[in-house]
Amino acid sequence: MRFTTLADLGETPAHRRALYELNKECAADIPERGDFYSFDEYVERRFEVVSYDPRGVVIALDREAWVGMAATSRHEGFMFNEMTGVRAGYRGQGISIAMKTFGMTFVEECGASRIRTLHHPANASAIAMNRKMGFVDAVD
């Protein structure tokens, strides 16, 4: 398994499409997710926003196959871990935590002191991963 970023791979149209397909497949297992965005909507919501930085998109590769992703975006005063997902056949090997840990380099480069994330309350694997990474529930 190799970890890299979209910035290091090159933000090409083919890589944007590969990220979309990977994200779509991984998001299908999120409870109550519903239909995923069209590719055009994904481009608009993922790539064409001020918070996007290709250095914040970690890709897990098994040789050349894209098997996992962890996306972190930049916001005023914090970073936001938007999506972490691994293809079903690769789950249970610690890839999610490894990707999120790899992505901390980007957080450090940005000088951020706070990282936020969210998960569906019924997504036990995401909750366990986030707890293991040190995320705690926000206090209202």
Side-chain angles (χ1 to χ4, degrees):
M1 199 64 54
R2 178 170 68 100
F3 302 100
T4 189
T5 68
L6 193 57
D8 289 337
L9 285 174
E11 191 185 2
T12 66
H15 288 159
R16 282 185 168 196
R17 176 62 75 166
L19 182 65
Y20 169 76
E21 295 298 337
L22 177 61
N23 199 159
K24 182 178 180 178
E25 182 179 330
C26 293
D29 293 332
I30 297 172
E32 301 175 15
R33 170 63 178 90
D35 292 335
F36 199 71
Y37 310 111
S38 70
F39 180 70
D40 290 338
E41 290 170 324
Y42 187 78
V43 167
E44 184 179 310
R45 293 172 184 243
R46 164 64 61 206
F47 301 113
E48 296 177 354
V49 293
V50 173
S51 59
Y52 169 71
D53 187 319
R55 297 175 301 155
V57 181
V58 175
I59 308 295
L61 298 167
D62 180 2
R63 294 187 180 92
E64 298 303 313
W66 292 38
V67 301
M69 63 163 299
T72 302
S73 56
R74 301 174 68 162
H75 299 269
E76 186 68 37
F78 69 96
M79 305 294 282
F80 183 65
N81 183 245
E82 297 188 21
M83 170 65 181
T84 302
V86 175
R87 288 202 157 110
Y90 288 86
R91 293 180 186 157
Q93 301 176 40
I95 297 170
S96 291
I97 289 177
M99 287 187 302
K100 283 182 106 156
T101 301
F102 186 90
M104 290 302 121
T105 301
F106 172 62
V107 172
E108 291 169 1
E109 288 172 0
C110 294
S113 61
R114 188 175 358 186
I115 307 166
R116 296 180 178 169
T117 193
L118 59 87
H119 46 250
H120 189 281
N123 192 341
S125 63
I127 293 168
M129 174 188 55
N130 287 332
R131 296 286 184 264
K132 192 169 187 175
M133 291 291 302
F135 287 96
V136 296
D137 292 337
V139 179
D140 291 336

